[in-house]
Amino acid sequence: MTPFPERVFSGIQPTGNLHLGNYLGAIVKFVALQKTHECLFCVVDLHAITVPQEPNELRAAIRKIAAAYIASGVDPVKNIIFNQSQVAEHAELAWVFNCVARMGWLNRMTQFKEKAGKDRENASIGLFAYPTLMAADILLYRATHVPVGEDQKQHIELARDIAQKFNNDFAESIAANGHEGGFFPLPEPLIQGPAARVMNLRDGLKKMSKSDPSEYSRISLSDDSDTIAQKVRKAKTDPEPLPTDKDGLSGRPEAENLIGIYAALNDSTTEAVLQQFGGAQFSAFKQQLVDLAVAKLGPIGAEMRRLEQDSAYIDSVLRDGSQRARAIAGPIMNQVKDILGLIR
Ligand code: TYM
């Protein structure tokens, strides 16, 4: 039914160290999707400045995300890898969307509430408007599919609402400009899989995040083998052996999380992992998890460290990707201006 060709867009913020949640919730999907789709993978640096950033750290963090994409197996020739701020149309379309989205919609965003905390009056306007920039990221390329972790679901739903409202509000002008079936697609989130929400290793009820004060709460992509092993061994568990089926995981968030991580790293399913380890003690399972995590993540971390030494190469990838991204974004932004009645 959709008149839009399939196109994938996703992004990661250059803030803090990338962790296993970012890898399994997002990057692993990027690596798979590049085989079947036209893809753009962005380092969303304009999102990072919605909270204070130290310039030298930000520069390093932007390169680090690009290095992580490449080290994980995203091909920078086949796909477009770029940083958001080099394509001015992201900010331009975000402004248009600030005028389409409603205050009430943004007031419902749970991530803003979490990030702003109690001191909402003191949060930046950028932090509040963050989801309209995210909608612009996706819709600037008329992307149809967005691989993300579960925590981004609400933002993608907002992007769909914005696309729908734009299509409705300007329906006549959109048709007059020769576009059939609306101007923007309603993008679909790609969230499924056993690691859609990787949890904190010290508390299975909290999400694994860059901001938790404890390094033991997460595995970072830059961790070496010993650190990965230590973090898995220290991960919180319960005293029971592992269950044999999924029902046995209910009320056992830490067990569910570790099984999900194993399944995702092994490109398998929770059911298959439980079949293999059901009845085993955590100590035996953890050893297998360490071996798997070190085998999968070790080479990525090593390649990231190598690429980070070569900032000229990373910068050339970002420049090239930005140029290719602009070639898609420019004409779409021009069409948006025509639809709105702006003279160009
Ligand atoms: P960010 O930078 O916080 O996270 C990057 C990606 O990692 C996923 N993720 C997780 N997945 C599973 N378990 C976890 N514990 C976990 N933590 C993070 C996130 O869901 C995300 O896919 N707003 C976005 C960045 C963004 C974006 C976009 C994404 C900006 N524009 C356009 C897609 C399309 C964010 O802050 O992700």
Side-chain angles (χ1 to χ4, degrees), residues 36-340:
T36 49
H37 284 75
E38 180 194 6
C39 301
L40 294 105
F41 299 120
C42 189
V43 183
V44 291
D45 47 12
L46 294 176
H47 278 95
I49 60 168
T50 57
V51 293
Q53 297 294 329
E54 201 284 308
N56 287 324
E57 283 172 19
L58 178 59
R59 246 185 304 274
I62 293 168
R63 291 181 178 131
K64 195 174 199 143
I65 305 283
Y69 286 162
I70 299 167
S72 302
V74 178
D75 179 348
V77 176
K78 185 172 185 307
N79 309 280
I80 297 180
I81 295 180
F82 73 109
N83 60 315
Q84 190 183 26
S85 60
Q86 288 204 57
V87 183
E89 287 87 350
H90 285 255
E92 212 175 352
L93 186 60
W95 179 258
V96 173
F97 287 170
N98 280 342
C99 303
V100 173
R102 306 289 93 183
M103 291 289 287
W105 298 2
L106 288 172
N107 271 329
R108 284 196 288 274
M109 296 294 113
T110 52
Q111 189 167 302
F112 173 73
K113 289 178 195 162
E114 280 162 24
K115 288 204 172 169
K118 288 203 181 76
D119 197 7
R120 278 180 70 163
E121 291 294 305
N122 209 23
S124 72
I125 292 171
L127 189 66
F128 182 71
Y130 177 114
T132 61
L133 177 59
M134 180 161 160
D137 298 339
I138 299 164
L139 295 170
L140 184 55
Y141 304 94
R142 301 215 273 186
T144 54
H145 293 84
V146 189
V148 283
E150 200 184 70
D151 60 342
Q152 295 302 315
K153 189 166 178 230
Q154 194 184 36
H155 289 158
I156 313 278
E157 279 162 7
L158 186 93
R160 292 169 65 90
D161 290 343
I162 290 175
Q164 183 74 65
K165 188 165 181 346
F166 184 93
N167 288 345
N168 291 346
D169 287 357
F170 300 101
E172 239 176 73
S173 182
I174 288 170
N177 278 280
H179 304 289
E180 295 293 327
F183 184 71
F184 288 120
L186 305 190
E188 280 178 37
L190 300 174
I191 296 180
Q192 60 280 28
R197 190 175 177 80
V198 177
M199 307 308 276
N200 183 310
L201 296 179
R202 309 296 296 160
D203 178 351
L205 298 175
K206 280 198 212 153
K207 189 180 74 170
M208 183 177 286
S209 81
K210 295 169 186 162
S211 54
D212 192 283
S214 167
E215 274 297 324
Y216 281 93
S217 71
R218 62 186 159 259
I219 292 173
S220 295
L221 277 193
S222 48
D223 284 347
D224 60 25
S225 308
D226 287 346
T227 312
I228 294 174
Q230 237 180 1
K231 288 179 176 177
V232 172
R233 288 202 190 99
K234 278 194 193 284
K236 187 177 168 198
T237 50
D238 57 48
E240 303 298 319
L242 287 164
T244 48
D245 60 24
K246 244 181 151 172
D247 290 346
L249 287 173
S250 80
R252 300 180 66 186
E254 284 85 13
E256 187 175 6
N257 189 37
L258 293 180
I259 297 282
I261 290 173
Y262 189 99
L265 280 173
N266 209 26
D267 198 15
S268 168
T269 61
T270 300
E271 288 84 352
V273 178
L274 288 176
Q275 244 170 34
Q276 190 182 346
F277 291 103
Q281 297 297 326
F282 270 108
S283 51
F285 169 70
K286 277 184 167 180
Q287 188 50 52
Q288 299 292 316
L289 181 55
V290 167
D291 293 347
L292 178 63
V294 167
K296 294 278 174 174
L297 304 179
I300 295 174
E303 181 64 0
M304 270 177 76
R305 283 187 285 278
R306 190 188 72 76
L307 287 169
E308 278 174 65
Q309 300 302 311
D310 194 352
S311 58
Y313 167 69
I314 296 290
D315 291 0
S316 75
V317 166
L318 292 173
R319 249 193 324 271
D320 169 68
S322 301
Q323 202 176 356
R324 289 158 64 199
R326 279 198 297 273
I328 304 173
I332 293 179
M333 194 62 218
N334 280 342
Q335 289 165 5
V336 169
K337 287 183 179 170
D338 291 345
I339 290 165
L340 290 169

